[in-house]
PDB file of all heavy atoms in Angstrom:
ATOM      1  N   TYR A1358     -21.494   4.182 -17.398  1.00  0.00           N
ATOM      2  CA  TYR A1358     -22.799   4.615 -16.888  1.00  0.00           C
ATOM      3  C   TYR A1358     -22.812   6.099 -16.544  1.00  0.00           C
ATOM      4  O   TYR A1358     -23.667   6.569 -15.810  1.00  0.00           O
ATOM      5  CB  TYR A1358     -23.172   3.804 -15.645  1.00  0.00           C
ATOM      6  CG  TYR A1358     -23.277   2.319 -15.888  1.00  0.00           C
ATOM      7  CD1 TYR A1358     -22.307   1.454 -15.382  1.00  0.00           C
ATOM      8  CD2 TYR A1358     -24.329   1.774 -16.617  1.00  0.00           C
ATOM      9  CE1 TYR A1358     -22.390   0.082 -15.587  1.00  0.00           C
ATOM     10  CE2 TYR A1358     -24.423   0.405 -16.836  1.00  0.00           C
ATOM     11  CZ  TYR A1358     -23.449  -0.434 -16.319  1.00  0.00           C
ATOM     12  OH  TYR A1358     -23.537  -1.793 -16.538  1.00  0.00           O
ATOM     13  N   HIS A1396     -25.769   0.790  -3.984  1.00  0.00           N
ATOM     14  CA  HIS A1396     -26.623  -0.406  -3.930  1.00  0.00           C
ATOM     15  C   HIS A1396     -27.062  -0.811  -5.335  1.00  0.00           C
ATOM     16  O   HIS A1396     -27.019  -1.999  -5.693  1.00  0.00           O
ATOM     17  CB  HIS A1396     -27.839  -0.121  -3.048  1.00  0.00           C
ATOM     18  CG  HIS A1396     -28.485  -1.365  -2.519  1.00  0.00           C
ATOM     19  ND1 HIS A1396     -28.898  -1.495  -1.216  1.00  0.00           N
ATOM     20  CD2 HIS A1396     -28.788  -2.552  -3.101  1.00  0.00           C
ATOM     21  CE1 HIS A1396     -29.430  -2.699  -1.025  1.00  0.00           C
ATOM     22  NE2 HIS A1396     -29.374  -3.349  -2.172  1.00  0.00           N
ATOM     23  N   ILE A1397     -27.476   0.148  -6.132  1.00  0.00           N
ATOM     24  CA  ILE A1397     -27.884  -0.160  -7.513  1.00  0.00           C
ATOM     25  C   ILE A1397     -26.693  -0.661  -8.310  1.00  0.00           C
ATOM     26  O   ILE A1397     -26.805  -1.617  -9.097  1.00  0.00           O
ATOM     27  CB  ILE A1397     -28.518   1.081  -8.169  1.00  0.00           C
ATOM     28  CG1 ILE A1397     -29.820   1.454  -7.456  1.00  0.00           C
ATOM     29  CG2 ILE A1397     -28.783   0.824  -9.654  1.00  0.00           C
ATOM     30  CD1 ILE A1397     -30.400   2.798  -7.863  1.00  0.00           C
ATOM     31  N   MET A1398     -25.543  -0.045  -8.118  1.00  0.00           N
ATOM     32  CA  MET A1398     -24.348  -0.445  -8.861  1.00  0.00           C
ATOM     33  C   MET A1398     -23.920  -1.867  -8.505  1.00  0.00           C
ATOM     34  O   MET A1398     -23.512  -2.649  -9.367  1.00  0.00           O
ATOM     35  CB  MET A1398     -23.215   0.534  -8.561  1.00  0.00           C
ATOM     36  CG  MET A1398     -21.987   0.363  -9.432  1.00  0.00           C
ATOM     37  SD  MET A1398     -20.859   1.754  -9.275  1.00  0.00           S
ATOM     38  CE  MET A1398     -20.286   1.568  -7.591  1.00  0.00           C
ATOM     39  N   MET A1399     -24.039  -2.236  -7.231  1.00  0.00           N
ATOM     40  CA  MET A1399     -23.565  -3.541  -6.787  1.00  0.00           C
ATOM     41  C   MET A1399     -24.566  -4.661  -7.048  1.00  0.00           C
ATOM     42  O   MET A1399     -24.181  -5.778  -7.398  1.00  0.00           O
ATOM     43  CB  MET A1399     -23.220  -3.488  -5.293  1.00  0.00           C
ATOM     44  CG  MET A1399     -22.536  -4.750  -4.779  1.00  0.00           C
ATOM     45  SD  MET A1399     -21.994  -4.615  -3.042  1.00  0.00           S
ATOM     46  CE  MET A1399     -20.685  -3.415  -3.178  1.00  0.00           C
ATOM     47  N   PHE A1400     -25.866  -4.365  -6.927  1.00  0.00           N
ATOM     48  CA  PHE A1400     -26.859  -5.444  -6.978  1.00  0.00           C
ATOM     49  C   PHE A1400     -27.915  -5.296  -8.073  1.00  0.00           C
ATOM     50  O   PHE A1400     -28.742  -6.183  -8.251  1.00  0.00           O
ATOM     51  CB  PHE A1400     -27.550  -5.578  -5.615  1.00  0.00           C
ATOM     52  CG  PHE A1400     -26.616  -5.993  -4.519  1.00  0.00           C
ATOM     53  CD1 PHE A1400     -26.186  -5.080  -3.565  1.00  0.00           C
ATOM     54  CD2 PHE A1400     -26.134  -7.295  -4.460  1.00  0.00           C
ATOM     55  CE1 PHE A1400     -25.299  -5.463  -2.558  1.00  0.00           C
ATOM     56  CE2 PHE A1400     -25.247  -7.680  -3.463  1.00  0.00           C
ATOM     57  CZ  PHE A1400     -24.833  -6.764  -2.506  1.00  0.00           C
ATOM     58  N   GLY A1401     -27.883  -4.186  -8.801  1.00  0.00           N
ATOM     59  CA  GLY A1401     -28.856  -4.001  -9.868  1.00  0.00           C
ATOM     60  C   GLY A1401     -28.515  -4.840 -11.096  1.00  0.00           C
ATOM     61  O   GLY A1401     -27.352  -5.168 -11.336  1.00  0.00           O
ATOM     62  N   ASN A1402     -29.549  -5.172 -11.871  1.00  0.00           N
ATOM     63  CA  ASN A1402     -29.287  -5.851 -13.152  1.00  0.00           C
ATOM     64  C   ASN A1402     -28.912  -4.798 -14.195  1.00  0.00           C
ATOM     65  O   ASN A1402     -28.949  -3.587 -13.924  1.00  0.00           O
ATOM     66  CB  ASN A1402     -30.495  -6.690 -13.591  1.00  0.00           C
ATOM     67  CG  ASN A1402     -31.769  -5.867 -13.735  1.00  0.00           C
ATOM     68  OD1 ASN A1402     -31.736  -4.719 -14.180  1.00  0.00           O
ATOM     69  ND2 ASN A1402     -32.909  -6.464 -13.369  1.00  0.00           N
ATOM     70  N   GLU A1403     -28.575  -5.231 -15.381  1.00  0.00           N
ATOM     71  CA  GLU A1403     -28.080  -4.298 -16.399  1.00  0.00           C
ATOM     72  C   GLU A1403     -29.123  -3.243 -16.758  1.00  0.00           C
ATOM     73  O   GLU A1403     -28.801  -2.060 -16.923  1.00  0.00           O
ATOM     74  CB  GLU A1403     -27.644  -5.054 -17.654  1.00  0.00           C
ATOM     75  CG  GLU A1403     -26.966  -4.191 -18.712  1.00  0.00           C
ATOM     76  CD  GLU A1403     -25.716  -3.480 -18.195  1.00  0.00           C
ATOM     77  OE1 GLU A1403     -25.038  -4.003 -17.283  1.00  0.00           O
ATOM     78  OE2 GLU A1403     -25.429  -2.380 -18.711  1.00  0.00           O
ATOM     79  N   GLU A1404     -30.374  -3.655 -16.858  1.00  0.00           N
ATOM     80  CA  GLU A1404     -31.437  -2.712 -17.193  1.00  0.00           C
ATOM     81  C   GLU A1404     -31.579  -1.645 -16.109  1.00  0.00           C
ATOM     82  O   GLU A1404     -31.737  -0.450 -16.402  1.00  0.00           O
ATOM     83  CB  GLU A1404     -32.766  -3.463 -17.361  1.00  0.00           C
ATOM     84  CG  GLU A1404     -33.919  -2.571 -17.802  1.00  0.00           C
ATOM     85  CD  GLU A1404     -35.222  -3.346 -17.973  1.00  0.00           C
ATOM     86  OE1 GLU A1404     -35.197  -4.589 -17.993  1.00  0.00           O
ATOM     87  OE2 GLU A1404     -36.277  -2.682 -18.063  1.00  0.00           O
ATOM     88  N   GLN A1405     -31.511  -2.055 -14.839  1.00  0.00           N
ATOM     89  CA  GLN A1405     -31.615  -1.101 -13.729  1.00  0.00           C
ATOM     90  C   GLN A1405     -30.420  -0.154 -13.699  1.00  0.00           C
ATOM     91  O   GLN A1405     -30.570   1.050 -13.451  1.00  0.00           O
ATOM     92  CB  GLN A1405     -31.732  -1.868 -12.409  1.00  0.00           C
ATOM     93  CG  GLN A1405     -33.057  -2.606 -12.251  1.00  0.00           C
ATOM     94  CD  GLN A1405     -33.035  -3.635 -11.144  1.00  0.00           C
ATOM     95  OE1 GLN A1405     -31.963  -4.142 -10.758  1.00  0.00           O
ATOM     96  NE2 GLN A1405     -34.211  -3.972 -10.618  1.00  0.00           N
ATOM     97  N   LYS A1406     -29.251  -0.691 -13.958  1.00  0.00           N
ATOM     98  CA  LYS A1406     -28.057   0.162 -13.984  1.00  0.00           C
ATOM     99  C   LYS A1406     -28.152   1.204 -15.090  1.00  0.00           C
ATOM    100  O   LYS A1406     -27.850   2.382 -14.884  1.00  0.00           O
ATOM    101  CB  LYS A1406     -26.804  -0.691 -14.177  1.00  0.00           C
ATOM    102  CG  LYS A1406     -26.438  -1.555 -12.982  1.00  0.00           C
ATOM    103  CD  LYS A1406     -25.215  -2.405 -13.294  1.00  0.00           C
ATOM    104  CE  LYS A1406     -24.865  -3.316 -12.132  1.00  0.00           C
ATOM    105  NZ  LYS A1406     -23.698  -4.176 -12.449  1.00  0.00           N
ATOM    106  N   GLN A1407     -28.572   0.772 -16.276  1.00  0.00           N
ATOM    107  CA  GLN A1407     -28.699   1.701 -17.403  1.00  0.00           C
ATOM    108  C   GLN A1407     -29.738   2.776 -17.128  1.00  0.00           C
ATOM    109  O   GLN A1407     -29.596   3.926 -17.556  1.00  0.00           O
ATOM    110  CB  GLN A1407     -29.087   0.923 -18.678  1.00  0.00           C
ATOM    111  CG  GLN A1407     -28.022  -0.013 -19.223  1.00  0.00           C
ATOM    112  CD  GLN A1407     -26.912   0.707 -19.957  1.00  0.00           C
ATOM    113  OE1 GLN A1407     -26.941   1.926 -20.114  1.00  0.00           O
ATOM    114  NE2 GLN A1407     -25.912  -0.031 -20.399  1.00  0.00           N
ATOM    115  N   LYS A1408     -30.776   2.409 -16.414  1.00  0.00           N
ATOM    116  CA  LYS A1408     -31.877   3.332 -16.137  1.00  0.00           C
ATOM    117  C   LYS A1408     -31.518   4.375 -15.085  1.00  0.00           C
ATOM    118  O   LYS A1408     -31.846   5.556 -15.231  1.00  0.00           O
ATOM    119  CB  LYS A1408     -33.107   2.547 -15.698  1.00  0.00           C
ATOM    120  CG  LYS A1408     -34.338   3.415 -15.435  1.00  0.00           C
ATOM    121  CD  LYS A1408     -35.543   2.555 -15.067  1.00  0.00           C
ATOM    122  CE  LYS A1408     -36.791   3.401 -14.835  1.00  0.00           C
ATOM    123  NZ  LYS A1408     -37.970   2.569 -14.461  1.00  0.00           N
ATOM    124  N   TYR A1409     -30.847   3.933 -14.016  1.00  0.00           N
ATOM    125  CA  TYR A1409     -30.666   4.815 -12.858  1.00  0.00           C
ATOM    126  C   TYR A1409     -29.266   5.412 -12.702  1.00  0.00           C
ATOM    127  O   TYR A1409     -29.132   6.568 -12.275  1.00  0.00           O
ATOM    128  CB  TYR A1409     -31.038   4.070 -11.572  1.00  0.00           C
ATOM    129  CG  TYR A1409     -32.508   3.740 -11.488  1.00  0.00           C
ATOM    130  CD1 TYR A1409     -32.948   2.426 -11.558  1.00  0.00           C
ATOM    131  CD2 TYR A1409     -33.462   4.754 -11.358  1.00  0.00           C
ATOM    132  CE1 TYR A1409     -34.307   2.119 -11.502  1.00  0.00           C
ATOM    133  CE2 TYR A1409     -34.814   4.458 -11.300  1.00  0.00           C
ATOM    134  CZ  TYR A1409     -35.235   3.144 -11.371  1.00  0.00           C
ATOM    135  OH  TYR A1409     -36.574   2.853 -11.326  1.00  0.00           O
ATOM    136  N   LEU A1410     -28.229   4.658 -12.996  1.00  0.00           N
ATOM    137  CA  LEU A1410     -26.880   5.142 -12.691  1.00  0.00           C
ATOM    138  C   LEU A1410     -26.505   6.430 -13.417  1.00  0.00           C
ATOM    139  O   LEU A1410     -25.921   7.336 -12.797  1.00  0.00           O
ATOM    140  CB  LEU A1410     -25.841   4.042 -12.949  1.00  0.00           C
ATOM    141  CG  LEU A1410     -25.895   2.854 -11.983  1.00  0.00           C
ATOM    142  CD1 LEU A1410     -24.805   1.833 -12.321  1.00  0.00           C
ATOM    143  CD2 LEU A1410     -25.763   3.295 -10.525  1.00  0.00           C
ATOM    144  N   PRO A1411     -26.821   6.578 -14.719  1.00  0.00           N
ATOM    145  CA  PRO A1411     -26.454   7.850 -15.376  1.00  0.00           C
ATOM    146  C   PRO A1411     -27.114   9.068 -14.740  1.00  0.00           C
ATOM    147  O   PRO A1411     -26.492  10.134 -14.627  1.00  0.00           O
ATOM    148  CB  PRO A1411     -26.937   7.641 -16.822  1.00  0.00           C
ATOM    149  CG  PRO A1411     -26.915   6.158 -17.021  1.00  0.00           C
ATOM    150  CD  PRO A1411     -27.344   5.596 -15.704  1.00  0.00           C
ATOM    151  N   VAL A1484     -36.256  -0.516  -5.660  1.00  0.00           N
ATOM    152  CA  VAL A1484     -35.991   0.845  -6.128  1.00  0.00           C
ATOM    153  C   VAL A1484     -37.339   1.510  -6.355  1.00  0.00           C
ATOM    154  O   VAL A1484     -38.145   1.008  -7.143  1.00  0.00           O
ATOM    155  CB  VAL A1484     -35.191   0.863  -7.441  1.00  0.00           C
ATOM    156  CG1 VAL A1484     -34.856   2.302  -7.828  1.00  0.00           C
ATOM    157  CG2 VAL A1484     -33.925   0.060  -7.327  1.00  0.00           C
ATOM    158  N   LYS A1520     -42.464  -5.781  -9.919  1.00  0.00           N
ATOM    159  CA  LYS A1520     -41.398  -6.724  -9.552  1.00  0.00           C
ATOM    160  C   LYS A1520     -40.075  -6.397 -10.246  1.00  0.00           C
ATOM    161  O   LYS A1520     -38.999  -6.789  -9.775  1.00  0.00           O
ATOM    162  CB  LYS A1520     -41.825  -8.155  -9.885  1.00  0.00           C
ATOM    163  CG  LYS A1520     -42.061  -8.424 -11.373  1.00  0.00           C
ATOM    164  CD  LYS A1520     -42.528  -9.854 -11.610  1.00  0.00           C
ATOM    165  CE  LYS A1520     -42.732 -10.139 -13.099  1.00  0.00           C
ATOM    166  NZ  LYS A1520     -43.231 -11.519 -13.337  1.00  0.00           N
ATOM    167  N   SER A1521     -40.139  -5.669 -11.352  1.00  0.00           N
ATOM    168  CA  SER A1521     -38.913  -5.276 -12.058  1.00  0.00           C
ATOM    169  C   SER A1521     -38.070  -4.303 -11.238  1.00  0.00           C
ATOM    170  O   SER A1521     -36.913  -4.060 -11.572  1.00  0.00           O
ATOM    171  CB  SER A1521     -39.254  -4.639 -13.405  1.00  0.00           C
ATOM    172  OG  SER A1521     -40.002  -3.441 -13.217  1.00  0.00           O
ATOM    173  N   GLN A1522     -38.645  -3.756 -10.152  1.00  0.00           N
ATOM    174  CA  GLN A1522     -37.936  -2.790  -9.305  1.00  0.00           C
ATOM    175  C   GLN A1522     -37.205  -3.460  -8.137  1.00  0.00           C
ATOM    176  O   GLN A1522     -36.625  -2.773  -7.303  1.00  0.00           O
ATOM    177  CB  GLN A1522     -38.914  -1.750  -8.760  1.00  0.00           C
ATOM    178  CG  GLN A1522     -39.594  -0.904  -9.826  1.00  0.00           C
ATOM    179  CD  GLN A1522     -38.617  -0.143 -10.688  1.00  0.00           C
ATOM    180  OE1 GLN A1522     -38.306  -0.536 -11.812  1.00  0.00           O
ATOM    181  NE2 GLN A1522     -38.086   0.947 -10.146  1.00  0.00           N
ATOM    182  N   ILE A1523     -37.244  -4.782  -8.091  1.00  0.00           N
ATOM    183  CA  ILE A1523     -36.502  -5.506  -7.052  1.00  0.00           C
ATOM    184  C   ILE A1523     -35.023  -5.539  -7.425  1.00  0.00           C
ATOM    185  O   ILE A1523     -34.662  -5.814  -8.575  1.00  0.00           O
ATOM    186  CB  ILE A1523     -37.045  -6.940  -6.892  1.00  0.00           C
ATOM    187  CG1 ILE A1523     -38.468  -6.909  -6.314  1.00  0.00           C
ATOM    188  CG2 ILE A1523     -36.129  -7.787  -6.002  1.00  0.00           C
ATOM    189  CD1 ILE A1523     -39.153  -8.266  -6.291  1.00  0.00           C
ATOM    190  N   LEU A1524     -34.160  -5.249  -6.455  1.00  0.00           N
ATOM    191  CA  LEU A1524     -32.711  -5.348  -6.663  1.00  0.00           C
ATOM    192  C   LEU A1524     -32.249  -6.735  -6.234  1.00  0.00           C
ATOM    193  O   LEU A1524     -32.439  -7.121  -5.071  1.00  0.00           O
ATOM    194  CB  LEU A1524     -31.982  -4.284  -5.855  1.00  0.00           C
ATOM    195  CG  LEU A1524     -32.094  -2.846  -6.373  1.00  0.00           C
ATOM    196  CD1 LEU A1524     -31.546  -1.870  -5.351  1.00  0.00           C
ATOM    197  CD2 LEU A1524     -31.360  -2.695  -7.694  1.00  0.00           C
ATOM    198  N   GLY A1525     -31.658  -7.470  -7.155  1.00  0.00           N
ATOM    199  CA  GLY A1525     -31.236  -8.831  -6.841  1.00  0.00           C
ATOM    200  C   GLY A1525     -32.442  -9.738  -6.699  1.00  0.00           C
ATOM    201  O   GLY A1525     -33.429  -9.613  -7.428  1.00  0.00           O
ATOM    202  N   GLN A1526     -32.370 -10.642  -5.729  1.00  0.00           N
ATOM    203  CA  GLN A1526     -33.425 -11.622  -5.521  1.00  0.00           C
ATOM    204  C   GLN A1526     -34.288 -11.256  -4.316  1.00  0.00           C
ATOM    205  O   GLN A1526     -33.829 -10.595  -3.385  1.00  0.00           O
ATOM    206  CB  GLN A1526     -32.808 -13.013  -5.288  1.00  0.00           C
ATOM    207  CG  GLN A1526     -31.930 -13.502  -6.427  1.00  0.00           C
ATOM    208  CD  GLN A1526     -32.683 -13.627  -7.733  1.00  0.00           C
ATOM    209  OE1 GLN A1526     -33.791 -14.174  -7.778  1.00  0.00           O
ATOM    210  NE2 GLN A1526     -32.097 -13.114  -8.806  1.00  0.00           N
ATOM    211  N   GLN A1533     -27.602  -7.864   1.318  1.00  0.00           N
ATOM    212  CA  GLN A1533     -27.106  -6.788   0.463  1.00  0.00           C
ATOM    213  C   GLN A1533     -26.770  -5.550   1.304  1.00  0.00           C
ATOM    214  O   GLN A1533     -25.719  -4.930   1.118  1.00  0.00           O
ATOM    215  CB  GLN A1533     -28.166  -6.420  -0.580  1.00  0.00           C
ATOM    216  CG  GLN A1533     -28.448  -7.484  -1.620  1.00  0.00           C
ATOM    217  CD  GLN A1533     -29.608  -7.096  -2.525  1.00  0.00           C
ATOM    218  OE1 GLN A1533     -30.104  -5.969  -2.477  1.00  0.00           O
ATOM    219  NE2 GLN A1533     -30.051  -8.008  -3.362  1.00  0.00           N
TER     220      GLN A1533
END
Side-chain angles (χ1 to χ4, degrees):
Y1358 300 108
H1396 201 136
I1397 295 170
M1398 189 167 68
M1399 188 175 292
F1400 296 106
N1402 58 37
E1403 187 58 29
E1404 184 180 347
Q1405 291 165 336
K1406 290 178 182 178
Q1407 292 283 358
K1408 182 177 181 181
Y1409 293 112
L1410 291 181
V1484 184
K1520 63 182 181 182
S1521 63
Q1522 298 301 101
I1523 292 172
L1524 287 170
Q1526 302 299 314
Q1533 292 174 9

